[in-house]
Amino acid sequence: MTDEQGERREAILEAARAEFAEKGFRGATIKSIAARAKIQSPALIYWYFPNKEALLEAVMQGQMPFLQTAQALDGLLEREPSQLLTLLAKGYLQAGDNQRTVQIMRVILGEMLLGRNPTDLLSEQIVPQIKQFLERYFQHQIQLGRMRQHDTRASSRAFMGMLMPQMLSKVIFPSLQADGLTDDEHIATTIEIFLNGLKPKE
């Protein structure tokens, strides 16, 4: 890809992000995205992205660094639990600190609440990938004697679920932030509770 093509692709992504944030996935069109990106022919967008769904996925990946982190997890199996879980939790919650990211997350959540799923990136790729990694990680920690024997399918769900309220406070329930709980405080308490419940039996 030439520099000019790379710049055009970035212009399309920036225009798509703005259109999705303002109009939602259904309201944004290839034509309106092309107009915002100052591209004369909307058909040119299809040279870079096969459809609007692929464009949304590209916007999500660009706005959520955690998605890239999630794709490089297998090298972390030996990490001590408090370190690894803190790393994952911070990477996840930091996505909610970027207003552009929050806008895109609202678009995705809105579509899902309406029973529509414009992209499989989260529901069929990223979330299952992270859950499967956590299951393998917890099983490995059991083998190392760092955790007691338990059903890692449940513990992986539990850990992910414990982070959700803090993220939702940034995305759709800002009133939850009234108590002043910081990400670091939430992460530290969550991990302490979680790991205390999984301590090896004496």
Side-chain angles (χ1 to χ4, degrees):
M1 184 178 294
T2 65
D3 289 345
E4 181 180 354
Q5 290 170 333
E7 290 174 5
R8 185 179 292 124
R9 185 180 188 278
E10 288 305 312
I12 292 170
L13 287 173
E14 180 60 23
R17 184 207 60 76
E19 286 290 301
F20 289 141
E22 289 179 12
K23 302 174 183 177
F25 180 73
R26 303 290 158 177
T29 65
I30 292 296
K31 185 176 180 179
S32 68
I33 292 168
R36 188 181 284 257
K38 296 181 171 57
I39 293 175
Q40 291 184 349
S41 173
L44 183 60
I45 290 179
Y46 294 112
W47 193 86
Y48 295 90
F49 305 97
N51 49 48
K52 193 167 68 168
E53 289 79 4
L55 187 48
L56 177 61
E57 286 194 7
V59 169
M60 288 173 60
Q61 289 174 327
Q63 292 296 143
M64 301 181 189
F66 178 67
L67 300 187
Q68 281 78 43
T69 302
Q71 295 169 3
L73 293 174
D74 283 339
L76 304 175
L77 286 173
E78 302 300 326
R79 287 281 189 100
E80 191 271 336
S82 64
Q83 295 176 349
L84 184 280
L85 297 180
T86 297
L87 177 69
L88 287 181
K90 284 188 174 182
Y92 171 63
L93 292 179
Q94 282 173 356
D97 294 332
N98 184 315
Q99 191 54 40
R100 291 182 169 185
T101 302
V102 168
Q103 290 172 335
I104 295 302
M105 292 174 72
R106 286 174 180 161
V107 169
I108 298 298
L109 286 173
E111 289 291 312
M112 288 181 168
L113 289 173
L114 291 172
R116 300 188 291 247
N117 190 14
T119 172
D120 294 332
L121 187 64
L122 284 177
S123 63
E124 296 187 15
Q125 296 181 48
I126 299 301
V127 171
Q129 181 181 352
I130 294 171
K131 184 178 183 299
Q132 289 164 12
F133 166 76
L134 285 173
E135 289 177 14
R136 292 197 308 275
Y137 176 76
F138 293 149
Q139 190 60 50
H140 187 58
Q141 298 308 303
I142 291 170
Q143 293 170 354
L144 293 176
R146 293 173 174 171
M147 290 183 173
R148 65 175 175 82
Q149 185 67 43
H150 68 280
D151 190 332
T152 60
R153 296 172 301 175
S155 60
S156 61
R157 290 188 185 191
F159 181 71
M160 294 169 73
M162 291 172 82
L163 298 175
M164 191 61 67
Q166 188 72 358
M167 179 60 85
L168 291 179
S169 75
K170 302 180 180 191
V171 180
I172 54 177
F173 296 125
S175 60
L176 291 176
Q177 297 181 14
D179 61 8
L181 183 69
T182 68
D183 284 355
D184 287 343
E185 290 168 339
H186 182 85
I187 290 169
T189 302
T190 292
I191 291 175
E192 181 182 8
I193 294 170
F194 184 78
L195 292 181
N196 279 342
L198 292 175
K199 281 183 177 178
K201 296 180 178 179
E202 296 294 335

